[in-house]
Amino acid sequence: MSEEVIFTEENGIGIITLNRPDRLNALTYPMVQKINKYLNSWEISEHINCVIIEGAGDKSFCAGGDVIKLRKEVLEDGGPPTNLSQSFFYDEYTLNFKISNFKKPFISLINGYTMGGGVGVSMHGSHVVASEKTMFAMPETAIGLFPDVGGGWLLGQLDKGIGAWLSLVGARIKAYDLMKLKLITHYVSSSDIGNLKKMLISSSPSTNDKVDSIVNSLSSNPNSEDSVLITNENIIKDAFSFDTIEQIFEKCESLSITGNEFLNAQFEELKHKSPTSLKISLKQIRDASKMTLKDELIMEYRMVQRCLEIGDFFEGVRAMLVDKDRKPNWQPSNIKDVDEGRVNKFFEVLGNLDLVLTN
């Protein structure tokens, strides 16, 4: 049986290869634990100048956490809560924060699907290199979660309307829009990703400036043909810049009479998401706009534990990924029934179970 994640060292470069191509390189808890361990070692090693993270295969960098496996194991263990439901996210968010503060260049080659947990292990790094194969999304509201792994913080820094649209709808965007939103640092054609890796290994850069010089030698401008924002940015902002889900729904409803096919498709997507997830996600990214990543991850950990205990996570994963009937029984099923008291429960402190992060 092949390793789920492979660690190699070449000429002063630590290389992490997510190695589950048949599962789009989805993250398991042992993978998270191993990456944490290696980064701790590599950060203080005199023999490692920088780190590269990549995904095996030519389709996906990492399509997220393996929530099917997580759901199965937590339920089999009689939870939630269980040790796994608490420790998986604790260690995953610790890893996300570690990457954001890594003392050496951290280069993410996101040549393929980059979603959910994949965003957390790549887009907090110093260098985020996309290609024409890159597809970004935070689709968690469809499974009773919210944009986590620090993704809520990334979206919270964007324009209010664009951030809410990506968070609530789980919309997919490609390299041109990612560059426009400054969610990636570089664009390199997929045909040159292998050359870039070789050049990095050959040069073994130890500073961000040296990495920039190497990546810039192969970088170019992404193709605008794949852009969603060029045509739809204004209507997205018009519909999604509000601070309540009710206002967003009302605006989408009123705009739908214009017959805009794009907006109507976004509105239809919204209607199928967990009402609880929609409300907590909007509050999350609005709060995140005024937070540090550290504080936002602590907030996310409170939220995720509530999602597993009183939210729609297990039902969402069942409906969308296990049984695939796409008929989740959301509780409550209507946004009007998700009151402020319910929303606030997801943000309550966990006492001695709170996430603790150190710089």
Side-chain angles (χ1 to χ4, degrees):
M1 182 176 171
S2 60
E3 291 289 326
E4 292 185 331
V5 56
I6 299 169
F7 301 90
T8 52
E9 298 180 12
E10 292 187 55
N11 194 33
I13 310 288
I15 304 169
I16 304 167
T17 305
L18 308 178
N19 190 40
R20 303 180 72 211
D22 57 321
R23 296 301 309 275
L24 301 179
N25 298 322
L27 291 171
T28 63
Y29 185 41
M31 292 169 72
V32 168
Q33 290 175 301
K34 288 175 183 176
I35 297 171
N36 260 319
K37 176 184 172 184
Y38 271 84
L39 288 186
N40 285 337
S41 172
W42 283 345
E43 189 167 40
I44 60 175
S45 171
E46 295 179 358
H47 306 293
I48 297 296
N49 290 326
C50 66
V51 170
I52 295 173
I53 188 167
E54 62 182 359
D58 59 2
K59 188 174 183 179
S60 179
F61 166 70
C62 174
D66 193 336
V67 291
I68 297 174
K69 180 179 173 67
L70 175 67
R71 175 185 182 271
K72 179 175 182 288
E73 292 179 356
V74 170
L75 290 177
E76 285 177 350
D77 206 22
T82 66
N83 287 336
L84 177 62
S85 68
Q86 293 170 336
S87 60
F88 180 98
F89 294 100
Y90 197 104
D91 289 353
E92 185 178 25
Y93 297 177
T94 299
L95 173 59
N96 306 146
F97 188 64
K98 182 176 298 166
I99 290 169
S100 77
N101 287 282
F102 202 67
K103 293 180 173 62
K104 298 174 181 179
F106 188 98
I107 306 148
S108 308
L109 305 179
I110 56 169
N111 185 32
Y113 292 123
T114 305
M115 303 179 179
V119 170
V121 295
S122 63
M123 297 183 82
H124 299 300
S126 61
H127 297 77
V128 186
V129 183
S131 77
E132 77 281 359
K133 292 184 177 181
T134 303
M135 178 74 79
F136 167 94
M138 296 299 290
E140 288 82 3
T141 57
I143 58 166
L145 271 181
F146 57 90
D148 69 334
V149 296
W153 183 82
L154 292 170
L155 300 184
Q157 311 312 303
L158 304 179
D159 169 86
K160 286 181 69 173
I162 302 301
W165 168 64
L166 290 168
S167 168
L168 303 175
V169 176
R172 297 182 174 194
I173 56 173
K174 302 194 77 175
Y176 184 90
D177 291 336
L178 289 168
M179 185 70 81
K180 176 182 172 69
L181 297 174
K182 299 181 180 178
L183 289 170
I184 60 174
T185 61
H186 296 82
Y187 173 84
V188 172
S189 171
S190 62
S191 61
D192 276 329
I193 292 288
N195 292 332
L196 173 59
K197 181 181 173 183
K198 288 177 184 175
M199 289 171 65
L200 288 166
I201 292 170
S202 175
S203 301
S204 194
S206 59
T207 67
N208 288 340
D209 286 344
K210 290 178 180 177
V211 174
D212 280 334
S213 178
I214 295 166
V215 182
N216 286 337
S217 71
L218 290 174
S219 65
S220 58
N221 294 319
N223 193 324
S224 63
E225 290 180 4
D226 291 325
S227 173
V228 179
L229 294 179
I230 287 177
T231 307
N232 302 294
E233 182 174 3
N234 289 337
I235 198 164
I236 290 170
K237 291 178 178 179
D238 197 12
F240 287 89
S241 293
F242 299 96
D243 292 332
T244 72
I245 295 297
E246 286 84 355
Q247 288 172 305
I248 290 173
F249 267 64
E250 287 169 14
K251 189 64 174 182
C252 287
E253 190 82 63
S254 67
L255 289 173
S256 68
I257 62 173
T258 66
N260 184 293
E261 290 184 10
F262 170 80
L263 184 71
N264 290 345
Q266 307 311 296
F267 191 26
E268 280 304 310
E269 279 293 321
L270 269 187
K271 294 174 185 176
H272 293 94
K273 310 302 185 187
S274 158
T276 297
S277 288
L278 290 178
K279 289 211 168 180
I280 65 172
S281 296
L282 187 59
K283 175 174 169 54
Q284 171 205 10
I285 63 164
R286 294 295 183 250
D287 290 352
S289 68
K290 303 179 287 288
M291 287 180 161
T292 63
L293 174 61
K294 178 178 180 177
D295 288 340
E296 201 273 343
L297 282 166
I298 291 169
M299 177 178 72
E300 283 187 6
Y301 188 71
R302 295 166 182 167
M303 293 172 69
V304 80
Q305 292 307 308
R306 299 300 188 208
C307 282
L308 270 63
E309 292 171 21
I310 62 170
D312 286 322
F313 172 73
F314 289 94
E315 173 61 10
V317 175
R318 179 207 65 77
M320 305 306 290
L321 301 174
V322 179
D323 297 339
K324 299 182 180 179
D325 58 30
R326 302 184 71 82
K327 295 179 180 178
N329 180 25
W330 302 130
Q331 298 292 334
S333 60
N334 192 302
I335 59 169
K336 294 187 175 73
D337 296 325
V338 185
D339 60 24
E340 190 175 351
R342 176 168 172 77
V343 170
N344 288 339
K345 278 189 170 68
F346 287 77
F347 296 84
E348 292 174 354
V349 300
L350 300 175
N352 60 3
L353 296 178
D354 258 334
L355 178 65
V356 177
L357 296 171
T358 54
N359 290 338

